[in-house]
Every structure is written in structure tokens, then in C-alpha cells.
Amino acid sequence: MRSARHLLFVAVSGLALTTGAFAAPALAQTAAPAAASPNAQVAPSDPWAQAASDVPADPAVRYGLLPNGMRYALLHNATPPGQASFRLRIDAGSLMERDDQKGLAHFMEHMAFNGTKDVPENEMLRILERLGLAFGADTNAFTSFDQTAYMLELPNTKDETVDPSLHILREMMSAAMMAPDAIDSERGVIVGEERTRDTPQLRVLKTQLGLLAPGQRLSERLPIGDLDIIRTAPRQRFVDFYDAYYRPSRATFIAVGDFDVDAMEAKVRAAFGDWKPTAADGPEPDLGTVAPRQPQTSILVEPGIQSSIQINWIKAPDLSPDTAAERAADVRRGLGLAVLNRRLGEIARADNPPFIGAGAGYQSLFDSLDAGTLSVAFNPGDWKRALESVEQESRRLAEYGVSDAELQREIVNTRTALQNAVASAATRSTSTLANGLLGAVNDDQVFSAPQTNLDLFNKAVEGLTVDQVNQATKAVFEGQGPLLLFSSPVPVEGGEAAVTAALEASRNTPVQARAAEAELKWPYDNFGAPAQPAARSEVADLGATLVRFPNGTLLNIKKTDFRADQVLVSARTGLGELGLPADQLSPLSMASTILTAGGLGKLSLDEMNRVLSGRTYGASVSQATDAYVFSGATKPADLQLELQVLAAYLTDPGLRAAPFEQTKALFPQILAQMGATPRGVFQRDASGLLAGGDVRETTPTAEQVAAIQIEDVRNGVRSALAQGPVEITVVGDVDIDAVIAAVGSTFGALPARGPQPTPPAGSTERRFPAPTAAPVQLHHTGPAEQALGFVAWPTTDQVRDRKTARQLSILADVLQLRLNDEIREKQGLAYSPSAGSTASSVFPGYGYVAVTAETPPAALPKLFETVDAIAADLRDNPVSEDELNRARRPAVERLRRNMADNGYWLTQLSQAQSDPAGLDQTRNQLSTLEAVTAADLQALARQYLKSGSAWRATVTAQPAAQ
């Protein structure tokens, strides 16, 4: 389990409106269509967006329409090779539900997996698992306000995989059984999902929708629905929705992958060509209209949320087709908002900032309304300063506009991103492309090629003036409103009247034009005389080149063709957390808060962004368990710059106080947010408990963090980064000699850094906690009906030999299958029970297999009883060959997929020279998984899943004060 401390040191931003659904007039009824002749072409619910656009669709995609009205889009893509992604979209979501069907669109998504005419209940997922698709990772679905989508990630494109996958999708769409007993058993799963997702953030979202869309359907149709309906709806209501909306004219099938398009098209037409609807098409909902609004302020007090203010201006939705003119308008608006967001980011990163984070945006919500939004997050009690700062900064831009320098910087950055997309177009990810096509279909957008996107952008910015950008940006903050939502974990003094008065006072405060920016140059282009390698060798079977420089710098290189124009870089040095004491909090534990955000000694983070505008580089520096890790992503043309940036972070880190002080100020709020949900509490507390109280893994208190001083952190970081060799790994579309030269002129040119420092005595010791007679009790501050149960058994490490750890991962996968079957499906105790295996690569003997599930409090004893029974059965009986294959094959296929990705090899080769034995572990990883037997798993279960060794914990609501 990753230390909660690493997660806590990331600032929490406000909830974004990424989904929507609006309020409640009755569905508009339409007459049933006249009967059509058997061979007539049925019109789809929506035509392809390119039919009404002058934007050319990507010519690599084959678009088709079956006579029954079903659309399909097919695209050959070989990244990763031999695999495919399927998406099947139904043009219906929660907005289409009747008042007595709230939640049934989402419920229907579940029922589509629960038995069809040809596939018995509980067998569908097993068939897919036998094909190598893991539930959740490769077999999934989602329901939104306006669509329902089913997703399959196929491990190969052989007929024996493609054909049953298509048949299953066809069955789900046209032959779902919806047996009454299956519906009843699934009710508990849906209720569990609602319980799990009933978070403070969701409650804020509901309030946001109510403020923005009163009287519109969106505000009353969140996909999770109405629990009373979920618990009681008769089968016929499911059938009504299914027959009305699961029909070919509302279906779009998308396939992207390494297949012959002609052959795939024939399969799709054969699988879906005879699909016919059995009832009239469902009506399109009346979404309502945007009503005239006066300025309004609403305060939501919700313990466990980030203090934030969102100011919205709403207007009727723009339903114009996707055209070049529309995209040009989007470019103008987007460039102006990019300037504003950059300004707001610079304010947030300054000393004593008025807010934690802020941003402006423009979005269209499900054909219901368009909204310009200005949002700001802050610490409790500091809302006036935050509100004034964002309001006045947005108005400064509206009154004085963007500068030409600012505009050109955003143009250059956007153009660079589009150019990079063109360069890497041939090796785009299959799953990313499938999701892109799905999104384009849902948004009625043309799926255009990267070159088209670049051409349209260049045309849009040709001759573009700051006045045009200013006008487009100013319009974002116009419309009905402003509608202000103040979300706070504590009551706001003075209430809505005080907030409204503060906003009005700020709007009447004059603002001045922004000062001109100073000219900057990149100062980190000389690290000394370039060095030549002292040694070079090849690891032929892994395609790796290993280099050592005279100053001790180690370099591992792997040239790949997985992603055109992509280069990943990492550098490791020092001890990381191993250099910290295990029995007391060290100031150095705060290192990750300032390593990246603190910028460089000669340039702040914002100055870096400004001077390197238009270049492709990344910079992330963190304190890992056993090293400090510097990493980034670039393209071949900017590799030299990437290495300069990382070398500058090593030799001249800025370590500025602002991000450190911001984290200190935010920390109490983060802890309160985590304390509001069972999973948040467990994330906060479990890593320290499971590490036997090791302080390095224990979340500090707000008081402990407040007592840490910046100078102590700085001194610790400088000392930690000053010694020890650097091991660099470069993977991707590279020229090996160019990589060697670039490293030789940066890291290789530095003075010798001496040997690896010695960890303090006892720092590599970590002990799993003693077994618990009764679960350790933790408490959250959220709803009383929410709880979490956890069971873990101590296992072993993967420090030298990873074979046992890999076998244990398959045992955990079998455990996951059992949890899905028993706890989710049969008993309905939890929506998403999870099992996993952890094996340390640093601490000898340390590892565990664990089960986590969120349940009602009353179900916790049954949860533990069931988990114990599953563990006992795994000890007493070998798993069947079928169950073994359903666990092992998805793991093997997942590994094969990873092996065709640069990120996998960056990790595998990151210690190729400091720990060369690890190369053998990379070599045998696949064969180890493939060789796991039922006898191996039973032996591991007998050795590790012992009833007397388990550690248990519960998270329940805080008892009421007496």
C-alpha cells in the first residue's frame, strides 16, 4: 500500500462538473413510427457529425450504417500489437428515464451482464475471463446522463476471441433476460454502489446542478437514481426502458485494434445485422430551458469538503454542428482562458497566496445549458481574499485583455502539443483512440485526424488579434447570473448576505493593468566538459544498452518503436525514505512538497514554463522508498533539454517556501476531507498500521506538520541529493548514441558524487502487525450507514526472487474472483470488494495479501465470515483448472500488454546496473505467471492465508458524543 503521506501532500482541488443531469418535466411523448418495409434503411438516432460539418473526418476510420440503423466505426491500429478495444454505445442514459424509472438506466447496465438468451447468469464474465479479460480492467461499462457504454479490451484479435466477444455484446443489447430473481439479487449491489459513492463531493455536485439548472431535467436525473425505485421497481419497468432504448438505431459499435478492417466489418455486420427492435423507439426527453436568472448566492455546509467558491454564468446551450468556424471560436476562447488560468496559477504559487488554486472554464452540459465558470479553492476563513483575487483577476483580463506576449506563448504551446500529436499519430494507443471515438460520437463531434486538428488551429490563429481573443474570453463571464456556490466544511459567518456583499464590493473595486513580464533566458545549458563513456555493454535479449561514465553516472537505454516521438526518462539517486528515521517524524518527510513545485534556483516554476514555452519536457521529483526519483517525458528533439532540466533539479533545486507553506496550511483540511469517508480514513491510517507503526509510513498530525520549518526541509534535501551515484534510464524513440551524448553533457559532466550512502541501522526493517483477536476500530465522520472492512495476511517480499510474489498475485486474483461471486453477486454485501497482493522490493520479508470492502456496518461480521470461509476453502481445496485460467490468463495478457509500453520498460530497467539480478526477474516474469498451478496456489494459501495470522480493521461512523 502506498504511503498516505505521499497522497496527502497533493493539494485537493474542488469538484469539477464533469457529469450532469437536469430537472424534471415529464418526458415528451412522440407517436410510434409507421411500419417500415423489411429492406428499408432505418435512420439512426443521430447521424455522424461529419454529415453536417465542413471538418473532414479521419480518413483512417471506416464509418458504416447497417440497414437496421446501427452505426459502426472501425479503425486499424497496432499499438499495442495484436490487441483491440471494443466500445458499444447506446444513445440513452438517465435523462431518458421516466419519473418511476430513476436509476434504471444504470441498473439496466448491470442487468445486461446478468444473463441473456444464450448466456446464463454469472457465466458471461466467466467466458470473458477465459478469453483473458479481467472484470473491471478489461470488461466494464458506465451510464451517464445521455449515454450508456460497454467496453471490452481484447487481449488478441483471433477469431476465437473476437467472435464470442461480439456475440456477447449482441446478446447484451438484444437478449437480456432480466430474470426477476436476478434483478432482486442485483438490487443490493446497486444500493452498495450508491452507498459507496455517497461522498461529500457528490453532495456538492447535486447542489451545483440544482443551482445551475432548476426546472431542467438534468438536476433530477443523476445516474445512480432513486433508492426507493432501485429497491422496488418491478421487472416490467426494466423491460420498458430496455425495449425503448436498447435498439439498433440508438447503438454505435466502435472497434479499434490490430485487425483487418474488411474482416472486422464483415463480423460486425454478421453479428448485428439481424437485430430488430421489439417496441417503439423511446421518446427524446424534454430537457427544459435556461430560465432568466438574477444573481444568486447559495452556501452548502458539508463537513469533509474543500472550501471553495464557484461563480457561474449560464446561457442556452449552443447546439450548432461541429464546424471549422465553431472550432475557430473555441480556439479564441480557449487561448484567452489559458492566459487567465496561467495567471491564476502564478498567483497560487506565489508567497502567501490568497487561494490554494483557481481556474476558469467554459463547458456545455448535456445539451441543457452552457456555463462559464470561475472557481477558487482556499483554506477555511480566507474566503474574502480568495473571492476578491479571482474576481478581480478575471475582470483585469476582461478590462485590459491579454498581452501579445501571453497570447503568443499560448499559441506556441498549443501548436507544439498538436504537432506532437501529428508526429505520434501512427502509434496512438488503441484504447485511447476507442475512447476518443466514443467521446466524439457522444458529443456530436467530428473525429478528425491530428493533422486536420493542426491545420484547423493554424488557420484559426492566422492573423488572430488580441482583441478577438479578448472578446471571446469576455463572453465567458456573461449570461444569466452570476450564480455563486460557496461550499464549506464549516458555517460561513454572515451567510449568503455577507458573500453577496463581498462579491459586489469586489466588482466595484478598480483594477490595474498587468505589469509587463521580464525577458528570461534558460541558464542551465552548461554542466561542465562533456564526458565520454568509461564502459558500454549490451543486454541483447532485452534490447538494452548499459553505459557507465567516469564520474559514476550509470545509464540504461532501450530503443523502442512502441510510441513514435515518445521518450521517457528517469533518474535515481540517494536513499529516499530509507534515509529517514523509522521512529520519529523527520522534516525531510516533507521533501516531495517542494522538490518539483519549488522550481530551480535561478528560475521559479512559472519562469521555467515561460522561458521553455513551446518545448516538450516534463519534470517530476519525488522521494520514493529507496531513492529520489527525477522523471519526465519528452520527444527526441528535446531530449537534451529534458536532461538539462532534470540535472538542474538535482544540482540546483529551488526549494522555495511557497509550496511548503501552502501544504502546511492545507493539511488540516486534507485530513478532515479524508476523515469524512471510510475509504479516506483507511487510506489515511492503514499504511502506518500495516507497517507496524513505522513513522515513515504514518500520516502525521496537522500539529506535527505545522511545527516543521522550511530551513530544516531545505537542509535535509540538499544533503540527501548531494551524494550517491545517479542511475538514468531512457526508453523510447531514441538514437542510442544521441542519448549517450546528451547524458554525457549533463549528468555525466558533473563532479563525481561518491559511493551510495549507507542506510541508517534498522532502516530496512519493516514488520507486519501482529494478528488481531478483534478488528482494529477506526472511525469516519460521514453517514452512519457507511463502513469498511479489511483483512490482511502477512506474506513475503520480492527483494531478490520475485517468483513467490508473482504466484501470490495470482492467488489474489483468484481471491478477487471469489469476492466478486460471493460478496458482490450472491450476497450483495459490497459493490466493489477488492483483493490484492503487496510484496516489498526494499524490506526483506515484508508483504501481504489483503481484502477490502465497503459495506453497511451491520454486514461487517458477515463480510469477515465470508472472507474466512473463502480463505479456508483455498487452503483446503485446489482451485479448479477453469478458475485458475480465469485468474491467470487476464494477468498474463495484462503483462503482455504492458510489455508493449515504454513505461513498463522504464520501470524494469531503472536499476539494471545497480541491481543486475533484477534483469533475470524481468526475463522470467511471463513464464512464472504462465507456470502457476492449482497446487502452487493451494500451497501458498496453506502457508500464508492462515486464520490465526490475519490482521483486521473496520472503519465505521464516529460514535455519537454522550
Side-chain angles (χ1 to χ4, degrees), residues 46-68:
D46 290 304
W48 296 112
Q50 54 265 32
S53 175
D54 57 352
V55 175
D58 188 337
V61 180
R62 179 175 297 178
Y63 297 94
L65 177 64
L66 297 178
N68 60 13

Side-chain angles (χ1 to χ4, degrees), residues 690-705:
L690 289 168
D694 190 327
V695 174
R696 294 171 295 184
E697 296 300 313
T698 301
T699 303
T701 65
E703 292 75 17
Q704 287 176 313
V705 170

Side-chain angles (χ1 to χ4, degrees), residues 444-459:
D444 291 323
Q445 297 287 304
V446 178
F447 186 80
S448 47
Q451 184 63 57
T452 299
N453 298 336
L454 176 60
D455 293 342
L456 289 172
F457 176 80
N458 284 333
K459 184 177 180 180

